[in-house]
Amino acid sequence: MEIQGVITNIVFRNPGNGWTVADIETENGKIRATGSLLSCHVGRTYKLTGDIFVHPVYGEQFKFDEGEEALSDTESGMSAFLASDLVKGIGPKTADAIVKKFGKKTFEIIETEPARLSEVKGVTDKKAALIAEAFVTYKEFADVEVGLQKYGISPKFALKLYKAYGSATMEIITQNPYSLADDIDGIGFRKADAIAMSMGIDKDDDERVRSGVRFILSSEVNRGNTYLPEEVLMEDAASLMEVSRESISDAISAMTFLGDVMLDTSQGTRAVYLTQFYDAEQRVTGNLRLLNESDPAPVNADAASLISAAEKDTGMEYSEEQKTAIMTSLGSSVSVITGGPGTGKTTIINAIARILSHSGLETAIAAPTGRAAKRITETTGFDAKTIHRMLEYYYDDSTDGMRFAKNRENPLDCNAVIIDEASMIDLFLMDALLKALKPGTRLIIVGDADQLPPVGAGNVLGDMIASEYICSVQLHEIFRQAKESMIVMNAHRINSGEYPVCNKTDSDFFMIHLDKQRDILNTVSDLCSRRLPEHYTDLVPVRDIQVLTPVKSRIIGTENINAHLQAILNPPDDMKVEKKFGDRTFRDGDKVMQMRNDYDLAWKRTDDFSEGEGIFNGDVGFIEKIDLENKKMTVVFEDVKYVAYDFTQLDELELAYAVTVHKSQGSEFPIVVMPISAFPPMLATRNLLYTAVTRGKMAVVLVGSEKHLDAMVDNDKIAERYSGLRDRLAALIDGIPV
């Protein structure tokens, strides 16, 4: 049966899958309805198809299988529709005025004579056009909404599909459902495959097998691999799609012919690359060779004299190891300096920058994250930027995408580039950097090769060192001041497989021994809200204390810890505006993190009044303002970079009172608090613990089980990444072309 009515109350709604429990006022009275709706708004009219049933607890309900919004033919319904979220800035007063003016012909006027809307006071010609455009979009999406329901596509993905394909959504899905896996972020092969199977597509269909192969290779990219051995790919594809190896082999051959994948040999095995990653490895190799074989701009004296002058200038005496690193960088076109905490990497950056500056050589300093760049500026006095900002990342209208303004045709105008925190640089970022360097530019790469590899694909720093093609200096000596820090000493102990020493008198490294995760959670909350702020009185808890954990779920995962810390550190208040989004609640003042690269997000800085686009995975900021009327939330990054998020973009943000260790790379925090418990073996590793510990500057506090802490130190198994860069660079030593 079919019913139609106005939603008067939403009892429950899961925005992920659209499951809704709502009260609906029909012409026959009120009834509670349950089912899946792609959109749901109080005051708007819906048409539902289903059956009446009697719930043993909640009584009579209408369980619907299909539901869609229906345009109301009453003036009150029309007004409610316009005042909901059709057009930003139209509230109940303006909506009432429009309906009062045009009555039951309101929707007809909007669709056929939108210019007449400007007859209403407060509606400009521009706003009239926006209303008309939004109304057309709504009607198109409503048609798509009905078509998508039978495929079980959630509201979030339905909106993504419509944004990507517009009114052609259903046509594209019908013609090739596997295009969803390639075009829509978050809809993988399995979801597209389920849709295709419901359409009757055969398991051995060529497009299905090719899509499955692309899905597996893309999944491996998300794990950091730039390629997959062909034998591994064959096994995974056969298991995923339940098709013959012959079908998979034919698909790989066809994809090679079409240019979707490339075949090569790496580490003695036949390797299958997505073409863009093969091309990027080739370019990085070729451009590193071009730089390495070029003569850099000379300094104005011999290296020893310059180092002596730098020592006098800074009042420091460099160790022999540091002098070797400086001399290697001055004497090489491309060089790598790597070492753990306390080995003087920042001191070396300062010295090299001073020497190059005194030689009249223009030097740019950059790091992968804003926080890391800011730290370089604070510790050396030299201006540092993010790599993206140095390369002038921007939105290009002509290509409808993001690009770097600095490239081969428009290179950086400098004689030297110093990059810090290089362990975070993935293959694509390295590719962009090298494209922007002129032959003869001196490139100095600094980082800690023992930290976690980058989130993106590739292992650039590790591959450069392991290839032995690039001049590299490994720092081992820990300096006296650093030796006074148990954070530094324990980091090196962990890295060498020794257990950390905790709770020494006047120490900066502590452990609270607990076994139960609930006790660990409560202690972490107490440390962040009371015990640490009482001891370190100059710190601001929300800003200066960071909880790091290996996992997102579980009692001591980021999701649960964030909920607890938000309630304690930034509790509800009548003066604070809130916005619920799914299972999250954002509140004025909350600490949040960007969870994926969004190259289109516009920002404005208050320090130099510059503007640009792009907020990146792992950036941390604070909610400045939640504007419920205009459906915007302003977040401030780096204290000066203001970004206005539309409410539809809030899935890009998560609370950041607690973050995963992987997300903390490149950052440094005054105090780090880390729960220690039984984590999955792939996460309970030595280098993850090492990375977490080295994020702390003033204090590190571990809370949990000593047994599990020791197990993390013992677990030195690092998942090897499939990356061909090391072999390509090593081949250059023997003069083998890439």
Side-chain angles (χ1 to χ4, degrees):
M1 61 181 296
E2 184 178 279
I3 66 171
Q4 181 168 312
V6 176
I7 290 181
T8 58
N9 177 45
I10 298 173
V11 180
F12 172 80
R13 178 163 172 78
N14 183 335
N17 59 22
W19 181 258
T20 302
V21 179
D23 294 327
I24 296 186
E25 186 71 51
T26 73
E27 61 181 10
N28 296 319
K30 183 179 290 187
I31 190 168
R32 178 155 293 179
T34 63
S36 183
L37 283 173
L38 292 184
S39 62
C40 183
H41 306 273
V42 171
R44 281 163 54 167
T45 304
Y46 290 82
K47 183 165 60 177
L48 311 175
T49 303
D51 290 297
I52 298 283
F53 83 108
V54 179
H55 192 280
V57 176
Y58 301 109
E60 188 176 85
Q61 297 184 353
F62 187 78
K63 185 176 181 181
F64 61 91
D65 301 312
E66 294 183 8
E68 62 178 301
E69 186 170 355
L71 290 176
S72 174
D73 57 2
T74 68
E75 293 187 5
S76 61
M78 291 178 174
S79 183
F81 175 83
L82 292 175
S84 54
D85 60 356
L86 179 68
V87 178
K88 296 178 182 64
I90 289 190
K93 289 184 179 180
T94 304
D96 287 344
I98 292 174
V99 175
K100 185 177 180 180
K101 172 71 176 178
F102 300 110
K104 291 190 175 183
K105 289 189 175 182
T106 296
F107 290 156
E108 180 184 341
I109 294 295
I110 292 174
E111 194 168 8
T112 61
E113 300 178 85
R116 289 194 59 196
L117 294 175
S118 60
E119 296 173 15
V120 178
K121 184 178 180 181
V123 178
T124 62
D125 291 341
K126 181 179 180 181
K127 185 161 285 188
L130 287 173
I131 294 172
E133 181 183 356
F135 189 77
V136 171
T137 299
Y138 160 79
K139 293 193 72 176
E140 286 183 352
F141 181 64
D143 292 338
V144 170
E145 180 180 25
V146 175
L148 293 176
Q149 280 187 340
K150 61 184 175 183
Y151 300 128
I153 294 176
S154 71
K156 179 172 69 173
F157 290 128
L159 186 58
K160 284 186 176 184
L161 288 173
Y162 180 73
K163 284 183 175 180
Y165 301 139
S167 58
T169 299
M170 295 311 301
E171 180 184 354
I172 291 172
I173 292 175
T174 303
Q175 288 180 350
N176 179 15
Y178 293 103
S179 63
L180 305 184
D182 298 327
D183 299 342
I184 309 299
D185 183 35
I187 295 186
F189 171 80
R190 290 184 177 87
K191 185 66 176 177
D193 197 38
I195 295 171
M197 292 295 101
S198 71
M199 294 177 176
I201 291 178
D202 190 75
K203 276 190 176 182
D204 288 312
D205 182 85
D206 291 342
E207 189 56 53
R208 177 178 188 261
V209 181
R210 288 197 294 268
S211 180
V213 169
R214 280 193 296 272
F215 168 72
I216 292 170
L217 291 175
S218 297
S219 298
E220 291 302 319
V221 164
N222 292 333
R223 295 186 181 99
N225 299 311
T226 60
Y227 73 86
L228 202 59
E230 186 176 38
E231 186 60 30
V232 175
L233 175 59
M234 296 281 280
E235 290 180 10
D236 290 352
S239 175
L240 173 70
M241 293 180 283
E242 298 178 344
V243 296
S244 67
R245 292 172 65 92
E246 182 181 3
S247 295
I248 300 165
S249 180
D250 289 345
I252 294 172
S253 297
M255 294 171 75
T256 304
F257 178 77
L258 294 169
D260 293 338
V261 302
M262 297 292 288
L263 302 179
D264 203 350
T265 300
S266 183
Q267 300 182 35
T269 64
R270 187 172 165 91
V272 185
Y273 285 82
L274 289 171
T275 299
Q276 60 267 40
F277 291 91
Y278 175 85
D279 291 344
E281 272 192 4
Q282 292 282 79
R283 286 193 300 269
V284 167
T285 304
N287 285 330
L288 278 174
R289 180 178 65 177
L290 184 63
L291 280 180
N292 209 36
E293 293 178 356
S294 303
D295 294 325
V299 291
N300 60 8
D302 65 276
S305 299
L306 291 169
I307 291 173
S308 295
E311 286 179 318
K312 292 178 181 177
D313 191 25
T314 61
M316 299 184 66
E317 184 176 345
Y318 305 133
S319 69
E320 290 304 313
E321 193 175 64
Q322 287 180 314
K323 290 178 181 178
T324 299
I326 296 168
M327 293 179 71
T328 299
S329 298
L330 295 178
S332 306
S333 298
V334 182
S335 59
V336 171
I337 301 169
T338 182
T343 55
K345 296 190 297 296
T346 302
T347 299
I348 291 171
I349 291 174
N350 191 9
I352 294 171
R354 287 179 179 276
I355 289 170
L356 294 174
S357 178
H358 289 165
S359 296
L361 302 179
E362 186 69 28
T363 303
I365 305 176
T369 67
R371 206 186 302 237
K374 184 177 180 181
R375 190 169 67 248
I376 297 170
T377 300
E378 291 171 349
T379 54
T380 68
F382 288 94
D383 182 46
K385 300 177 180 178
T386 63
I387 298 174
H388 282 82
R389 195 172 185 210
M390 179 180 72
L391 300 181
E392 298 178 11
Y393 203 57
Y394 76 103
Y395 180 78
D396 183 6
D397 290 322
S398 64
T399 61
D400 194 27
M402 302 300 297
R403 60 170 300 196
F404 292 99
K406 295 299 180 183
N407 49 40
R408 184 63 66 205
E409 292 72 36
N410 180 33
L412 288 166
D413 186 19
C414 58
N415 306 110
V417 172
I418 302 173
I419 302 293
D420 195 17
E421 293 286 357
S423 64
M424 297 181 65
I425 299 178
D426 62 22
L427 180 66
F428 278 170
L429 187 55
M430 189 64 174
D431 183 27
L433 172 65
L434 294 173
K435 285 178 184 176
L437 302 184
K438 296 177 292 188
T441 303
R442 184 182 273 102
L443 176 62
I444 301 159
I445 302 290
V446 183
D448 186 346
D450 292 317
Q451 288 188 26
L452 291 170
V455 174
N459 188 23
V460 173
L461 179 62
D463 285 348
M464 289 176 68
I465 295 170
S467 73
E468 299 184 356
Y469 174 69
I470 304 297
C471 290
S472 301
V473 177
Q474 175 84 43
L475 303 173
H476 300 93
E477 182 180 352
I478 305 172
F479 290 90
R480 181 185 61 79
Q481 187 175 358
K483 285 180 179 178
E484 297 173 1
S485 167
M486 288 307 299
I487 296 175
V488 173
M489 299 308 295
N490 279 332
H492 287 275
R493 288 178 66 86
I494 291 167
N495 202 32
S496 61
E498 300 177 68
Y499 304 138
V501 176
C502 308
N503 303 333
K504 290 182 66 175
T505 303
D506 297 326
S507 176
D508 55 7
F509 197 102
F510 310 93
M511 184 167 191
I512 299 172
H513 299 278
L514 295 168
D515 291 320
K516 295 181 179 179
Q517 290 197 7
R518 183 62 60 184
D519 293 337
I520 294 171
L521 172 65
N522 292 334
T523 300
V524 167
S525 299
D526 191 39
L527 282 166
C528 294
S529 62
R530 184 182 63 84
R531 294 170 63 176
L532 289 170
E534 286 178 356
H535 185 76
Y536 298 94
T537 55
D538 292 337
L539 300 184
V540 179
V542 174
R543 289 181 176 271
D544 299 328
I545 301 174
Q546 184 63 57
V547 178
L548 303 181
T549 178
V551 295
K552 294 186 68 175
S553 57
R554 303 188 177 193
I555 293 174
I556 52 174
T558 57
E559 293 171 352
N560 196 45
I561 296 175
N562 272 321
H564 276 73
L565 291 181
Q566 182 192 41
I568 297 170
L569 299 175
N570 190 32
D573 188 296
D574 290 341
M575 300 301 292
K576 296 175 183 175
V577 182
E578 294 184 357
K579 168 62 182 174
K580 284 191 69 68
F581 185 84
D583 57 355
R584 307 170 214 168
T585 298
F586 294 110
R587 186 173 298 135
D588 285 344
D590 271 336
K591 185 179 186 180
V592 293
M593 174 179 279
Q594 176 77 13
M595 301 310 294
R596 67 177 180 84
N597 291 338
D598 189 328
Y599 306 116
D600 301 331
L601 271 177
W603 49 258
K604 295 181 180 180
R605 296 179 67 95
T606 55
D607 55 349
D608 59 9
F609 305 105
S610 61
E611 299 181 5
E613 296 87 20
I615 298 296
F616 304 102
N617 191 355
D619 286 352
V620 174
F622 291 85
I623 297 176
E624 176 82 4
K625 180 182 179 182
I626 298 175
D627 184 346
L628 296 176
E629 181 177 351
N630 292 303
K631 300 177 176 60
K632 295 282 187 181
M633 187 166 83
T634 302
V635 179
V636 184
F637 295 93
E638 303 170 25
D639 297 326
V640 293
K641 185 186 287 185
Y642 284 72
V643 179
Y645 287 82
D646 187 88
F647 281 177
T648 60
Q649 299 171 297
L650 297 186
D651 60 335
E652 298 183 13
L653 293 170
E654 287 186 2
L655 295 176
Y657 302 98
V659 301
T660 62
V661 178
H662 282 84
K663 293 287 188 182
S664 73
Q665 287 177 265
S667 298
E668 186 178 76
F669 311 99
I671 300 177
V672 164
V673 178
M674 182 180 182
I676 302 290
S677 187
F679 299 120
M682 67 179 64
L683 294 175
T685 62
R686 181 186 299 173
N687 73 327
L688 184 140
L689 178 62
Y690 172 79
T691 301
V693 166
T694 54
R695 300 307 89 203
K697 185 177 180 181
M698 293 175 56
V700 170
V701 185
L702 307 180
V703 184
S705 163
E706 186 173 13
K707 176 182 71 174
H708 290 120
L709 173 65
D710 293 349
M712 291 184 77
V713 176
D714 293 338
N715 183 7
D716 65 345
K717 295 179 181 178
I718 301 174
E720 284 292 324
R721 291 192 168 192
Y722 293 118
S723 167
L725 183 60
R726 181 183 65 184
D727 287 354
R728 296 185 196 283
L729 292 173
L732 297 177
I733 298 174
D734 300 321
I736 301 173
V738 297

